[in-house]
Amino acid sequence: MRRIVVKFGGTSLGNGERIRLAASSVRKEWRKGTQVAVVVSAMGHTTDELLEAAREASGGNLQARDLDDILAMGERTSARIFAAALRSLGVKARAIDPGMREWPIITDSSFSRAKVDERRTEERVKRYLEPMLRERAVPVVCGFLGRNLKGEVTTLGRGGSDTTAFILGKYLNASEVIIVTDVEGVMTADVNEFRDARLLDSLTALELRELGRFGARVMHPAAMNYKLPQMDAKVIHFRHGDLSAPGTTIKGGILGSDKMEVTLHEEPIGMLTVVGEGMQRTPGVLLQAISPLSRRGLNILGVSIGPRSFSLYVWQKDLRKAVELVHRQVKKSRVMKSVTSEENLAMVVVESEEFIDTPGMIAKLTSPLAREGINIVEILSSRASISFFFRWEDRERAVKVLKGDG
Ligand code: ASP
Ligand code: MG
């Protein structure tokens, strides 16, 4: 039995005609005997409009609880219109809204960025949505919305209807999740800026999550945390009016979920550092130092740049060779003055979406390390990851502490 979850983004529901096109693409699949659950965003720019009106109307004094309840009206409306469109096409359909007993998505009470209660949600998806699918009805679920234990409406954060789709896909054990949007799929760059951007046939769930974390709007990064490896998924353009359109396939999955991920690299790492005051004002210095390493096939695991030095991280077994190669360049250069190195380092990478918008995350991670007397040799950070370097002998204790069970 084929079972799919299809999510329609705002643009694909921009007007009545588009909603009808979307509904008929669902009907086509449903007539083949496929069980279909639909997730809808708000029509067009409804969410932005509601947000602006609510803010203006309340003179900048809007309660988060009220705002979520107001924004929810976008999805609550589009679910009803979509279900009506399906019924007009002879498909049994039902709008599923947070006001109903059958509402599946249960969250905590952090309005505007609510966290999903996975246990309760799974149980409700199985209890309420699954039987509808078996009876050949199409549930049309409001994306982006949740409900807390008091029965109040919450939202999962802007763009959150992607997350709704993958949550339902996971707990319904769907064979495929299809994201219908206003681009052909995932592109090599933003097509609005780069006309020559190419469509990707496929990428992995981890790659797509990273793109989302670093600002691409094609998919909400949190959605990928619910992508199971065995589940197919793709992003397609609404203009085809056809759910079998090719688009971009999302491969693999992410085991675990939105919890913080802590990874220890199993081999010791070496660091080499080049010092020179004039380096930062001289173009091409880094390339000059690094290119002999790449010609020899030495892998660089990390780079950090300070005001008068830069460091390269390599596997310890490559360190000696790396220093030798860089040293040759240092001798030829006027701005690179001297190279030094350190060995027996361990690299521990911590990844979490929370880093993106939660203040104080570095302090939260480093203060327990300080309390345990574990020295941090170096920290590198990107928007969604923090790489710690410890002495090799401290690695296991450090991992324990970072995981919060030190
Ligand atoms: N309508 C919501 C938003 O505009 C959620 C979504 O589209 O995913 O952010
Ligand atoms: Mg959207």
Side-chain angles (χ1 to χ4, degrees):
M1 167 54 58
R2 184 169 152 75
R3 176 181 286 178
I4 65 176
V5 176
V6 189
K7 178 246 164 174
F8 292 93
T11 315
S12 72
L13 306 174
N15 55 44
E17 196 188 324
R18 286 187 184 173
I19 295 178
R20 193 161 180 81
L21 180 68
S24 53
S25 71
V26 168
R27 178 177 71 153
K28 195 167 150 202
E29 192 60 47
W30 178 80
R31 277 176 134 189
K32 295 181 196 162
T34 307
Q35 296 181 355
V36 190
V38 170
V39 172
V40 290
S41 288
M43 290 175 64
H45 298 292
T46 307
T47 311
D48 292 321
E49 288 157 14
L50 291 170
L51 181 63
E52 207 191 307
R55 279 202 180 132
E56 258 178 46
S58 42
N61 207 355
L62 184 56
Q63 304 226 344
R65 175 185 276 102
D66 288 337
L67 179 60
D68 276 10
D69 198 41
I70 293 164
L71 294 187
M73 298 318 290
E75 274 73 9
R76 297 177 84 160
T77 305
S78 57
R80 284 169 174 76
I81 298 178
F82 203 105
L86 281 172
R87 286 193 290 270
S88 79
L89 294 166
V91 179
K92 203 160 122 189
R94 206 159 157 216
I96 307 291
D97 166 295
M100 295 168 59
R101 189 174 59 98
E102 292 92 337
W103 176 253
I105 311 284
I106 303 300
T107 69
D108 66 5
S109 296
S110 32
F111 296 100
S112 87
R113 45 188 292 184
K115 291 254 177 309
V116 175
D117 179 331
E118 297 189 29
R119 191 182 55 78
R120 288 197 167 84
T121 299
E122 172 167 19
E123 201 241 323
R124 297 178 68 87
V125 167
K126 297 206 155 115
R127 173 144 36 121
Y128 297 118
L129 292 191
E130 195 145 28
M132 288 184 214
L133 291 176
R134 275 199 237 97
E135 286 160 27
R136 301 270 307 131
V138 175
V140 181
V141 180
C142 301
F144 171 56
L145 309 184
R147 187 170 80 195
N148 67 14
L149 290 175
K150 287 193 220 153
E152 296 163 322
V153 176
T154 59
T155 65
L156 306 179
R158 296 303 304 272
S161 51
D162 293 327
T163 310
T164 311
F166 279 92
I167 289 175
L168 297 186
K170 177 173 177 179
Y171 297 135
L172 286 170
N173 224 329
S175 10
E176 186 170 20
V177 174
I178 302 174
I179 303 294
V180 183
T181 179
D182 55 359
V183 286
E184 291 297 332
V186 184
M187 315 291 288
T188 50
D190 185 341
V191 259
N192 297 317
E193 280 180 60
F194 299 95
R195 285 289 151 155
D196 59 344
R198 272 193 307 109
L199 176 67
L200 293 172
D201 285 338
S202 71
L203 82 174
T204 67
L206 278 167
E207 287 168 337
L208 185 53
R209 185 177 72 176
E210 199 83 353
L211 270 180
R213 286 177 171 180
F214 284 85
R217 276 159 308 165
V218 58
M219 172 93 62
H220 195 293
M224 288 298 98
N225 293 325
Y226 298 93
K227 164 85 171 61
L228 297 176
Q230 71 272 19
M231 164 203 289
D232 289 332
K234 67 177 177 182
V235 179
I236 60 173
H237 200 298
F238 71 86
R239 71 184 174 85
H240 303 291
D242 184 354
L243 300 180
S244 59
T248 300
T249 307
I250 307 160
K251 297 214 162 118
I254 297 174
L255 294 170
S257 63
D258 59 352
K259 313 270 147 31
M260 206 171 65
E261 294 154 33
V262 180
T263 320
L264 166 69
H265 285 259
E266 285 303 342
E267 272 183 69
I269 283 169
M271 167 178 94
L272 70 86
T273 301
V274 177
V275 171
E277 274 192 61
M279 294 192 303
Q280 222 172 36
R281 291 181 303 275
T282 316
V285 174
L286 196 58
L287 181 67
Q288 204 186 330
I290 284 176
S291 36
L293 270 58
S294 61
R295 259 180 267 126
R296 288 300 188 91
L298 300 190
N299 195 22
I300 296 167
L301 304 163
V303 178
S304 64
I305 301 182
R308 53 198 78 78
S309 67
F310 63 83
S311 304
L312 307 177
Y313 301 84
V314 296
W315 295 119
Q316 178 145 308
K317 62 177 174 46
D318 295 339
L319 183 62
R320 162 92 219 161
K321 186 85 226 167
V323 176
E324 186 188 316
L325 293 168
V326 170
H327 181 222
R328 277 188 217 159
Q329 304 296 84
V330 169
K331 282 193 288 185
K332 279 192 259 170
S333 162
R334 287 199 302 160
V335 288
M336 291 191 269
K337 295 290 171 60
S338 180
V339 60
T340 173
S341 67
E342 234 183 288
E343 50 183 22
N344 280 322
L345 302 178
M347 180 171 171
V348 179
V349 182
V350 184
E351 294 180 77
S352 169
E353 242 123 74
E354 266 191 283
F355 296 163
I356 299 170
D357 53 13
T358 315
M361 284 306 292
I362 292 202
K364 200 169 145 190
L365 291 171
T366 54
S367 36
L369 290 167
R371 244 180 281 128
E372 292 293 319
I374 301 171
N375 187 37
I376 303 165
V377 179
E378 175 90 72
I379 296 184
L380 302 184
S381 72
S382 81
R383 181 179 293 180
S385 76
I386 302 174
S387 302
F388 289 91
F389 292 86
F390 300 104
R391 304 249 45 107
W392 182 247
E393 58 276 13
D394 288 339
R395 67 190 184 284
E396 266 144 25
R397 273 182 9 173
V399 167
K400 257 190 160 176
V401 171
L402 285 171
K403 283 187 172 161
D405 46 34

Short mmCIF file of all heavy atoms in Angstrom, two decimals, residues 345-389:
data_model
loop_
_atom_site.label_atom_id
_atom_site.label_comp_id
_atom_site.label_asym_id
_atom_site.label_seq_id
_atom_site.Cartn_x
_atom_site.Cartn_y
_atom_site.Cartn_z
N LEU A 345 45.80 16.19 19.72
CA LEU A 345 44.54 16.87 19.97
C LEU A 345 43.38 15.96 19.59
O LEU A 345 43.51 15.10 18.72
CB LEU A 345 44.45 18.16 19.16
CG LEU A 345 45.57 19.17 19.39
CD1 LEU A 345 45.38 20.37 18.47
CD2 LEU A 345 45.59 19.61 20.85
N ALA A 346 42.26 16.18 20.26
CA ALA A 346 41.04 15.46 19.89
C ALA A 346 40.03 16.49 19.43
O ALA A 346 39.94 17.58 19.98
CB ALA A 346 40.49 14.71 21.11
N MET A 347 39.27 16.14 18.40
CA MET A 347 38.27 17.07 17.88
C MET A 347 36.88 16.55 18.19
O MET A 347 36.55 15.41 17.86
CB MET A 347 38.47 17.20 16.37
CG MET A 347 37.51 18.14 15.68
SD MET A 347 38.08 18.33 13.96
CE MET A 347 36.72 19.20 13.25
N VAL A 348 36.10 17.38 18.83
CA VAL A 348 34.73 17.00 19.17
C VAL A 348 33.80 18.05 18.56
O VAL A 348 33.93 19.24 18.84
CB VAL A 348 34.51 16.96 20.70
CG1 VAL A 348 33.07 16.58 21.03
CG2 VAL A 348 35.49 15.99 21.35
N VAL A 349 32.90 17.59 17.69
CA VAL A 349 32.01 18.53 17.01
C VAL A 349 30.62 18.44 17.63
O VAL A 349 30.07 17.35 17.80
CB VAL A 349 31.93 18.21 15.50
CG1 VAL A 349 31.03 19.22 14.79
CG2 VAL A 349 33.32 18.22 14.89
N VAL A 350 30.09 19.59 18.01
CA VAL A 350 28.75 19.64 18.59
C VAL A 350 27.85 20.38 17.60
O VAL A 350 28.19 21.49 17.17
CB VAL A 350 28.75 20.37 19.94
CG1 VAL A 350 27.38 20.32 20.59
CG2 VAL A 350 29.80 19.77 20.87
N GLU A 351 26.73 19.76 17.21
CA GLU A 351 25.84 20.40 16.25
C GLU A 351 24.45 20.55 16.84
O GLU A 351 23.96 19.62 17.49
CB GLU A 351 25.71 19.54 14.99
CG GLU A 351 26.98 19.42 14.19
CD GLU A 351 26.75 18.56 12.96
OE1 GLU A 351 26.15 19.04 12.00
OE2 GLU A 351 27.15 17.38 13.01
N SER A 352 23.85 21.68 16.60
CA SER A 352 22.47 21.86 17.04
C SER A 352 21.86 23.08 16.36
O SER A 352 22.53 24.07 16.16
CB SER A 352 22.42 22.06 18.55
OG SER A 352 21.13 22.48 18.94
N GLU A 353 20.59 22.95 16.01
CA GLU A 353 19.87 24.09 15.46
C GLU A 353 19.77 25.23 16.46
O GLU A 353 19.67 26.39 16.11
CB GLU A 353 18.44 23.68 15.13
CG GLU A 353 18.10 23.79 13.70
CD GLU A 353 17.62 22.44 13.20
OE1 GLU A 353 16.51 22.08 13.56
OE2 GLU A 353 18.39 21.76 12.51
N GLU A 354 19.76 24.85 17.73
CA GLU A 354 19.61 25.86 18.78
C GLU A 354 20.69 26.92 18.74
O GLU A 354 20.48 28.05 19.15
CB GLU A 354 19.67 25.17 20.15
CG GLU A 354 18.34 24.80 20.73
CD GLU A 354 18.52 24.40 22.17
OE1 GLU A 354 19.00 23.27 22.43
OE2 GLU A 354 18.23 25.22 23.04
N PHE A 355 21.89 26.55 18.26
CA PHE A 355 23.00 27.51 18.22
C PHE A 355 22.63 28.73 17.39
O PHE A 355 23.14 29.81 17.59
CB PHE A 355 24.26 26.87 17.60
CG PHE A 355 24.82 25.73 18.40
CD1 PHE A 355 25.72 24.85 17.82
CD2 PHE A 355 24.44 25.54 19.71
CE1 PHE A 355 26.24 23.79 18.55
CE2 PHE A 355 24.95 24.48 20.45
CZ PHE A 355 25.85 23.61 19.86
N ILE A 356 21.75 28.52 16.39
CA ILE A 356 21.46 29.58 15.43
C ILE A 356 20.78 30.76 16.12
O ILE A 356 21.10 31.90 15.86
CB ILE A 356 20.60 29.04 14.27
CG1 ILE A 356 21.38 27.94 13.54
CG2 ILE A 356 20.22 30.16 13.30
CD1 ILE A 356 20.56 27.16 12.53
N ASP A 357 19.85 30.47 17.00
CA ASP A 357 19.10 31.59 17.55
C ASP A 357 18.98 31.61 19.08
O ASP A 357 18.12 32.26 19.63
CB ASP A 357 17.70 31.65 16.91
CG ASP A 357 16.98 30.31 17.01
OD1 ASP A 357 17.46 29.46 17.77
OD2 ASP A 357 15.96 30.13 16.34
N THR A 358 19.86 30.86 19.76
CA THR A 358 19.81 30.89 21.21
C THR A 358 21.05 31.60 21.75
O THR A 358 22.17 31.13 21.52
CB THR A 358 19.76 29.46 21.79
OG1 THR A 358 18.82 28.71 21.03
CG2 THR A 358 19.35 29.47 23.25
N PRO A 359 20.88 32.70 22.45
CA PRO A 359 22.06 33.38 23.00
C PRO A 359 22.72 32.53 24.09
O PRO A 359 22.04 31.76 24.79
CB PRO A 359 21.49 34.66 23.62
CG PRO A 359 20.07 34.76 23.16
CD PRO A 359 19.62 33.40 22.79
N GLY A 360 24.03 32.67 24.22
CA GLY A 360 24.73 32.06 25.34
C GLY A 360 25.04 30.58 25.22
O GLY A 360 25.41 29.94 26.20
N MET A 361 24.93 30.02 24.00
CA MET A 361 25.16 28.58 23.86
C MET A 361 26.60 28.18 24.15
O MET A 361 26.87 27.13 24.72
CB MET A 361 24.76 28.09 22.46
CG MET A 361 23.28 27.97 22.24
SD MET A 361 22.40 26.95 23.44
CE MET A 361 23.03 25.32 23.07
N ILE A 362 27.56 29.03 23.73
CA ILE A 362 28.97 28.66 23.96
C ILE A 362 29.23 28.62 25.47
O ILE A 362 29.82 27.66 25.98
CB ILE A 362 29.94 29.63 23.24
CG1 ILE A 362 29.77 29.41 21.73
CG2 ILE A 362 31.39 29.39 23.68
CD1 ILE A 362 30.91 29.83 20.86
N ALA A 363 28.72 29.61 26.18
CA ALA A 363 28.90 29.63 27.63
C ALA A 363 28.26 28.40 28.27
O ALA A 363 28.82 27.79 29.17
CB ALA A 363 28.31 30.91 28.21
N LYS A 364 27.08 28.06 27.77
CA LYS A 364 26.36 26.92 28.34
C LYS A 364 27.17 25.63 28.18
O LYS A 364 27.14 24.75 29.03
CB LYS A 364 25.01 26.79 27.61
CG LYS A 364 23.98 26.01 28.38
CD LYS A 364 22.62 26.16 27.72
CE LYS A 364 21.84 24.86 27.85
NZ LYS A 364 20.62 24.87 27.03
N LEU A 365 27.90 25.53 27.06
CA LEU A 365 28.70 24.32 26.83
C LEU A 365 30.04 24.39 27.56
O LEU A 365 30.56 23.36 28.01
CB LEU A 365 28.96 24.13 25.33
CG LEU A 365 27.74 23.75 24.49
CD1 LEU A 365 28.08 23.81 23.01
CD2 LEU A 365 27.25 22.35 24.85
N THR A 366 30.62 25.60 27.64
CA THR A 366 31.97 25.67 28.18
C THR A 366 32.01 25.71 29.71
O THR A 366 32.97 25.21 30.30
CB THR A 366 32.76 26.88 27.64
OG1 THR A 366 31.99 28.06 27.87
CG2 THR A 366 33.05 26.73 26.16
N SER A 367 30.98 26.26 30.34
CA SER A 367 31.11 26.36 31.80
C SER A 367 31.16 24.99 32.51
O SER A 367 31.97 24.83 33.42
CB SER A 367 30.07 27.31 32.42
OG SER A 367 28.86 27.25 31.78
N PRO A 368 30.37 23.99 32.08
CA PRO A 368 30.58 22.67 32.73
C PRO A 368 31.97 22.09 32.47
O PRO A 368 32.52 21.40 33.32
CB PRO A 368 29.50 21.77 32.11
CG PRO A 368 28.76 22.57 31.12
CD PRO A 368 29.21 23.98 31.18
N LEU A 369 32.56 22.39 31.31
CA LEU A 369 33.92 21.91 31.03
C LEU A 369 34.89 22.55 32.02
O LEU A 369 35.77 21.88 32.57
CB LEU A 369 34.34 22.25 29.60
CG LEU A 369 33.63 21.48 28.48
CD1 LEU A 369 33.91 22.13 27.12
CD2 LEU A 369 34.06 20.02 28.46
N ALA A 370 34.71 23.85 32.24
CA ALA A 370 35.58 24.56 33.19
C ALA A 370 35.43 23.96 34.58
O ALA A 370 36.42 23.72 35.28
CB ALA A 370 35.23 26.04 33.19
N ARG A 371 34.19 23.70 34.95
CA ARG A 371 33.94 23.13 36.28
C ARG A 371 34.65 21.79 36.46
O ARG A 371 35.14 21.47 37.53
CB ARG A 371 32.43 22.96 36.50
CG ARG A 371 31.90 23.84 37.61
CD ARG A 371 30.41 23.65 37.79
NE ARG A 371 29.65 24.38 36.78
CZ ARG A 371 28.70 23.86 36.01
NH1 ARG A 371 28.39 22.58 36.10
NH2 ARG A 371 28.06 24.60 35.13
N GLU A 372 34.71 21.02 35.39
CA GLU A 372 35.37 19.71 35.45
C GLU A 372 36.88 19.82 35.25
O GLU A 372 37.58 18.81 35.18
CB GLU A 372 34.80 18.78 34.37
CG GLU A 372 33.36 18.37 34.60
CD GLU A 372 33.21 17.47 35.83
OE1 GLU A 372 34.07 16.58 36.03
OE2 GLU A 372 32.25 17.67 36.58
N GLY A 373 37.37 21.03 35.07
CA GLY A 373 38.80 21.24 34.88
C GLY A 373 39.33 20.72 33.55
O GLY A 373 40.50 20.34 33.43
N ILE A 374 38.48 20.69 32.53
CA ILE A 374 38.92 20.23 31.21
C ILE A 374 39.30 21.45 30.37
O ILE A 374 38.47 22.33 30.13
CB ILE A 374 37.82 19.41 30.50
CG1 ILE A 374 37.45 18.19 31.35
CG2 ILE A 374 38.29 18.99 29.11
CD1 ILE A 374 36.25 17.44 30.86
N ASN A 375 40.54 21.47 29.93
CA ASN A 375 41.02 22.63 29.19
C ASN A 375 40.63 22.53 27.72
O ASN A 375 40.81 21.50 27.09
CB ASN A 375 42.54 22.72 29.35
CG ASN A 375 43.08 23.99 28.75
OD1 ASN A 375 42.44 25.04 28.85
ND2 ASN A 375 44.23 23.89 28.10
N ILE A 376 40.11 23.63 27.19
CA ILE A 376 39.78 23.68 25.76
C ILE A 376 40.98 24.28 25.05
O ILE A 376 41.39 25.40 25.33
CB ILE A 376 38.55 24.57 25.52
CG1 ILE A 376 37.35 24.06 26.31
CG2 ILE A 376 38.22 24.64 24.03
CD1 ILE A 376 36.23 25.07 26.41
N VAL A 377 41.57 23.51 24.14
CA VAL A 377 42.76 24.00 23.44
C VAL A 377 42.35 25.04 22.41
O VAL A 377 43.04 26.03 22.20
CB VAL A 377 43.50 22.82 22.76
CG1 VAL A 377 44.71 23.32 21.99
CG2 VAL A 377 43.88 21.77 23.78
N GLU A 378 41.20 24.81 21.79
CA GLU A 378 40.76 25.71 20.72
C GLU A 378 39.28 25.47 20.44
O GLU A 378 38.78 24.37 20.63
CB GLU A 378 41.58 25.39 19.47
CG GLU A 378 41.20 26.11 18.22
CD GLU A 378 41.94 27.42 18.04
OE1 GLU A 378 43.15 27.40 17.75
OE2 GLU A 378 41.29 28.46 18.20
N ILE A 379 38.59 26.53 20.02
CA ILE A 379 37.20 26.39 19.59
C ILE A 379 37.04 26.99 18.21
O ILE A 379 37.51 28.09 17.96
CB ILE A 379 36.22 27.17 20.52
CG1 ILE A 379 36.23 26.61 21.92
CG2 ILE A 379 34.81 27.14 19.97
CD1 ILE A 379 35.22 27.28 22.83
N LEU A 380 36.40 26.26 17.31
CA LEU A 380 36.02 26.84 16.02
C LEU A 380 34.52 26.78 15.98
O LEU A 380 33.92 25.79 16.41
CB LEU A 380 36.54 26.00 14.85
CG LEU A 380 38.02 25.73 14.71
CD1 LEU A 380 38.26 24.96 13.42
CD2 LEU A 380 38.77 27.03 14.69
N SER A 381 33.88 27.81 15.43
CA SER A 381 32.44 27.65 15.36
C SER A 381 31.90 28.12 14.03
O SER A 381 32.47 28.99 13.38
CB SER A 381 31.77 28.40 16.51
OG SER A 381 31.85 29.76 16.29
N SER A 382 30.84 27.46 13.60
CA SER A 382 30.10 27.92 12.44
C SER A 382 28.70 28.16 12.97
O SER A 382 28.44 28.00 14.16
CB SER A 382 30.12 26.87 11.33
OG SER A 382 29.16 25.88 11.55
N ARG A 383 27.77 28.55 12.13
CA ARG A 383 26.49 28.95 12.66
C ARG A 383 25.78 27.82 13.44
O ARG A 383 25.17 28.07 14.46
CB ARG A 383 25.58 29.41 11.53
CG ARG A 383 24.25 29.85 12.07
CD ARG A 383 23.35 30.33 11.00
NE ARG A 383 23.84 31.55 10.40
CZ ARG A 383 23.21 32.19 9.43
NH1 ARG A 383 22.09 31.70 8.97
NH2 ARG A 383 23.69 33.28 8.92
N ALA A 384 25.90 26.61 12.93
CA ALA A 384 25.14 25.54 13.56
C ALA A 384 26.03 24.47 14.18
O ALA A 384 25.57 23.40 14.55
CB ALA A 384 24.18 24.91 12.54
N SER A 385 27.35 24.75 14.27
CA SER A 385 28.21 23.74 14.89
C SER A 385 29.34 24.42 15.65
O SER A 385 29.76 25.52 15.30
CB SER A 385 28.79 22.81 13.82
OG SER A 385 29.81 23.46 13.13
N ILE A 386 29.79 23.75 16.69
CA ILE A 386 30.94 24.23 17.44
C ILE A 386 31.93 23.07 17.51
O ILE A 386 31.57 21.98 17.93
CB ILE A 386 30.52 24.68 18.85
CG1 ILE A 386 29.45 25.78 18.76
CG2 ILE A 386 31.74 25.19 19.64
CD1 ILE A 386 28.86 26.21 20.08
N SER A 387 33.17 23.31 17.04
CA SER A 387 34.19 22.26 17.12
C SER A 387 35.13 22.59 18.26
O SER A 387 35.71 23.68 18.29
CB SER A 387 34.99 22.19 15.82
OG SER A 387 34.13 21.94 14.74
N PHE A 388 35.26 21.65 19.16
CA PHE A 388 36.17 21.83 20.29
C PHE A 388 37.41 20.98 20.07
O PHE A 388 37.32 19.85 19.61
CB PHE A 388 35.51 21.32 21.58
CG PHE A 388 34.39 22.18 22.07
CD1 PHE A 388 33.09 21.92 21.66
CD2 PHE A 388 34.63 23.24 22.93
CE1 PHE A 388 32.04 22.70 22.12
CE2 PHE A 388 33.59 24.02 23.40
CZ PHE A 388 32.29 23.75 22.99
N PHE A 389 38.56 21.53 20.41
CA PHE A 389 39.79 20.74 20.41
C PHE A 389 40.25 20.60 21.86
O PHE A 389 40.37 21.60 22.58
CB PHE A 389 40.86 21.41 19.57
CG PHE A 389 40.51 21.42 18.11
CD1 PHE A 389 39.73 22.44 17.58
CD2 PHE A 389 40.92 20.38 17.27
CE1 PHE A 389 39.37 22.44 16.23
CE2 PHE A 389 40.57 20.37 15.93
CZ PHE A 389 39.79 21.40 15.41
#
